[in-house]
Amino acid sequence: MTARFIIGDVFDGLATLDDGSVDLVVTSPPFLALRSYLPADHPDKSKEIGSEATPAEWLDTMLAVTAELRRVLAPHGSIAIELGDT
């Protein structure tokens, strides 16, 4: 068994994976307007999930992430999403 951790922008990281190549995804996605993970001057600040202007925009982003997760997930694979917080 091999475990691989991909650190970086979710869309950039998922783009490196082949279709159907992942057995398990475990993630805790950023919440809308709860906290900022990058400083204001960070070059990837515009990619930061959770800084969308509306809940609908955040949901659209999360649905796009989910579509990419589905693409890379093997037919027998699973996705575990943790959405609890303070």
Side-chain angles (χ1 to χ4, degrees):
M1 175 175 19
T2 301
R4 180 176 170 193
F5 294 89
I6 300 172
I7 299 171
D9 175 70
V10 65
F11 293 107
D12 294 343
L14 286 169
T16 69
L17 300 175
D18 293 331
D19 294 0
S21 64
V22 175
D23 294 319
L24 176 64
V25 175
V26 178
T27 185
S28 178
F31 298 95
L32 177 63
L34 185 60
R35 62 182 57 91
S36 178
Y37 297 90
L38 299 172
D41 61 346
H42 193 282
D44 291 332
K45 185 66 174 175
S46 65
K47 296 179 176 182
E48 187 174 55
I49 296 174
S51 61
E52 294 82 1
T54 67
E57 288 178 28
W58 178 84
L59 184 56
D60 286 344
T61 300
M62 294 310 302
L63 290 172
V65 170
T66 304
E68 274 298 285
L69 292 177
R70 177 64 188 103
R71 179 189 66 77
V72 302
L73 198 65
H76 60 273
S78 298
I79 300 173
I81 300 176
E82 193 280 321
L83 286 175
D85 203 310
T86 56

